[in-house]
Amino acid sequence: MFICGTWDSTPYHRTATRYRHHELMHLLDGSVTFEDEAGASRTFRKGDIFLLEHAAQCSWDSQEHVKKVYAIWRPAVA
Protein backbone atom coordinates (compact mmCIF):
# COMPACT_ATOMS: atom_id res chain seq x y z
CA MET A 1 0.00 0.00 0.00
CA PHE A 2 1.27 3.48 -0.88
CA ILE A 3 -0.45 6.72 0.16
CA CYS A 4 0.55 10.36 0.37
CA GLY A 5 -0.99 13.62 1.45
CA THR A 6 -0.73 16.55 3.81
CA TRP A 7 -1.31 16.56 7.57
CA ASP A 8 -1.23 19.19 10.29
CA SER A 9 -1.65 19.29 14.03
CA THR A 10 -1.58 21.52 17.06
CA PRO A 11 1.22 20.83 19.58
CA TYR A 12 1.15 17.38 21.16
CA HIS A 13 3.22 14.51 22.52
CA ARG A 14 2.78 10.88 21.49
CA THR A 15 4.47 8.10 23.43
CA ALA A 16 6.78 5.74 21.57
CA THR A 17 5.03 3.55 19.02
CA ARG A 18 6.39 1.11 16.46
CA TYR A 19 5.90 2.27 12.89
CA ARG A 20 4.12 -0.33 10.73
CA HIS A 21 5.25 1.44 7.57
CA HIS A 22 7.99 3.54 6.01
CA GLU A 23 7.10 7.24 6.11
CA LEU A 24 8.87 10.01 4.23
CA MET A 25 8.03 13.43 5.67
CA HIS A 26 8.65 16.97 4.46
CA LEU A 27 7.93 19.57 7.16
CA LEU A 28 6.15 22.60 5.73
CA ASP A 29 5.75 24.34 9.10
CA GLY A 30 6.87 23.87 12.70
CA SER A 31 9.26 21.37 14.22
CA VAL A 32 9.11 17.91 15.78
CA THR A 33 11.45 15.91 17.99
CA PHE A 34 11.59 12.12 17.77
CA GLU A 35 13.13 9.99 20.52
CA ASP A 36 13.95 6.33 19.88
CA GLU A 37 13.90 3.38 22.28
CA ALA A 38 17.61 3.92 23.13
CA GLY A 39 16.93 7.53 24.20
CA ALA A 40 18.56 9.17 21.16
CA SER A 41 16.61 12.17 19.92
CA ARG A 42 16.59 14.24 16.76
CA THR A 43 14.70 17.43 15.95
CA PHE A 44 13.47 18.27 12.45
CA ARG A 45 12.35 21.74 11.38
CA LYS A 46 10.49 23.48 8.58
CA GLY A 47 12.05 22.50 5.24
CA ASP A 48 13.57 19.22 6.49
CA ILE A 49 12.87 15.97 4.65
CA PHE A 50 13.39 12.71 6.53
CA LEU A 51 12.45 9.04 6.60
CA LEU A 52 11.11 6.94 9.47
CA GLU A 53 11.70 3.32 8.61
CA HIS A 54 9.35 0.38 9.04
CA ALA A 55 9.61 -1.07 12.60
CA ALA A 56 11.25 2.10 14.01
CA GLN A 57 10.02 2.81 17.53
CA CYS A 58 9.95 6.45 18.56
CA SER A 59 7.94 9.13 20.30
CA TRP A 60 6.74 12.38 18.72
CA ASP A 61 6.95 15.74 20.48
CA SER A 62 5.89 19.00 18.85
CA GLN A 63 5.65 22.23 20.81
CA GLU A 64 4.09 24.21 17.96
CA HIS A 65 1.75 23.78 15.00
CA VAL A 66 3.18 21.24 12.55
CA LYS A 67 2.28 20.76 8.89
CA LYS A 68 3.81 18.09 6.68
CA VAL A 69 3.63 16.35 3.35
CA TYR A 70 3.94 12.60 3.82
CA ALA A 71 4.41 9.50 1.70
CA ILE A 72 3.71 6.16 3.38
CA TRP A 73 4.61 2.75 2.05
CA ARG A 74 3.45 -0.26 4.02
CA PRO A 75 5.16 -3.56 3.11
CA ALA A 76 2.83 -6.39 2.18
CA VAL A 77 2.42 -9.03 4.86
CA ALA A 78 3.39 -12.44 3.52
Side-chain angles (χ1 to χ4, degrees), residues 12-73:
Y12 84 100
H13 176 78
R14 183 187 68 218
T15 58
T17 58
R18 188 163 307 278
Y19 275 72
R20 299 179 313 184
H21 54 265
H22 297 280
E23 183 172 351
L24 181 70
M25 298 182 212
H26 176 205
L27 288 185
L28 301 174
D29 197 21
S31 65
V32 60
T33 299
F34 293 93
E35 184 173 330
D36 68 17
E37 62 272 16
S41 66
R42 177 113 188 243
T43 300
F44 298 94
R45 293 173 174 67
K46 179 180 178 178
D48 289 343
I49 299 171
F50 54 96
L51 175 70
L52 288 177
E53 295 183 72
H54 175 258
Q57 184 169 332
C58 57
S59 63
W60 168 292
D61 187 33
S62 59
Q63 301 295 312
E64 58 189 323
H65 179 262
V66 172
K67 185 172 184 178
K68 68 179 181 178
V69 173
Y70 65 88
I72 292 175
W73 178 67

